[in-house]
Amino acid sequence: MQVVTPDNREKATLLVARFIAREIKGKPQVVLGLASGRTMEAVYRNLVEIHQKEKLDFSQCQTFNLDEYVGLPPENEHSYHFYMTKHLFSKVNIDLCHVHLLNGMAKDLKAECQSYEKLIQECGGIDLQLLGIGLNGHIGFNEPYSSLSSRTRKVALASPTIAQNKSQFGNDEEMIPKWALTMGIGTILEARCCILLATGIEKAEILAKMVDGPVKAALPASALQVHPNCIVIADEAAASQLQSKDDFKWIFENDPEWEEFRIK
Ligand code: GLP
């Protein structure tokens, strides 16, 4: 696992966008795994800007989203489908036939999850998986105690997740679906590269547990420690409780690999 710690939220989110842009330029048919949540909004804003200013071409990319609420149709403003359309898909030249999201309205949710897994395989697997982290350590909607080899499936949301996400539902807990579909941890670990982005002081404690603590199902994001190519990008606030934060900072400032991503 590499940990990269730019100074602030702006630099961290721009770094992630530039990393994704480099992947797209290097492999126009790249298969991207995408995430939602407040943290990612700035990443998508930056990607849209790169598309507009540098003509970043999304036309051949394929995308698979990590998760979706059960029972919300794409036109519901709280669905992740709506979120993706609003923040990215409607603003870049992506071919909507290449956009894949779990359908939380499917009659047979099990079959929906199985065919999603199959589709990922048919597209050659995910090249780059973008991830956020929940305050309880979830990735996607893999809540604590999800099997570290779990596959795409229906899950119940944990109460801290409901509390964390309720602001997006007008602070009304009753409005938040209690179930979701999510790629499994096993599915995520098969991506060729994973990027986990954490920003803000509120993520500092859980990020330290994920990076410095043991790998355990009680903390799903810790599974990324065993991924062969995982990059954690954390701004200084989110990285503030990491045991080796000074080493990570030094490496980021001096490693030629990161030179093009260092923003003055
Ligand atoms: C949701 C998503 C996760 C995301 C998390 C973090 O629960 N299912 O994939 O990582 O939110 O969200 P935020 O960026 O808003 O903190």
Side-chain angles (χ1 to χ4, degrees), residues 35-40 66-67 80 131-134 138-141 161 164-165 168 203:
S36 41
R38 279 152 297 192
T39 313
M40 298 302 159
L66 269 177
D67 47 15
Y80 285 159
L131 297 159
I133 184 168
H138 75 213
I139 46 175
F141 271 133
T161 301
Q164 187 187 339
N165 290 359
Q168 291 148 46
K203 296 286 170 75

Side-chain angles (χ1 to χ4, degrees), residues 13 32-33 46 69 79 95 99 166 168 203 215 231 245 259 261:
T13 53
L32 299 172
N46 282 310
Y69 291 108
S79 72
D95 179 346
V99 160
K166 77 174 177 193
Q168 291 148 46
K203 296 286 170 75
V215 174
I231 305 166
K245 62 174 191 245
E259 194 171 346
F261 294 109

Side-chain angles (χ1 to χ4, degrees), residues 52-106:
Q52 289 166 345
K53 291 194 176 148
E54 299 170 29
K55 310 231 174 318
L56 180 66
D57 180 15
F58 286 80
S59 64
Q60 296 180 63
C61 301
Q62 301 264 350
T63 67
F64 285 89
N65 261 78
L66 269 177
D67 47 15
E68 181 57 285
Y69 291 108
V70 166
L72 297 190
E75 59 278 11
N76 184 302
E77 60 175 327
H78 302 304
S79 72
Y80 285 159
H81 201 136
F82 190 95
Y83 169 105
M84 289 308 304
T85 306
K86 176 174 166 193
H87 294 290
L88 186 68
F89 300 152
S90 65
K91 296 183 173 161
V92 297
N93 67 330
I94 199 155
D95 179 346
L96 293 180
C97 300
H98 295 165
V99 160
H100 310 289
L101 285 107
L102 284 154
N103 175 10
M105 297 294 287

Side-chain angles (χ1 to χ4, degrees), residues 193-213:
C193 175
C194 286
I195 292 206
L196 184 137
L197 170 65
T199 58
I201 194 71
E202 65 279 11
K203 296 286 170 75
E205 191 181 339
I206 196 65
L207 195 74
K209 287 183 179 158
M210 173 207 155
V211 173
D212 295 319

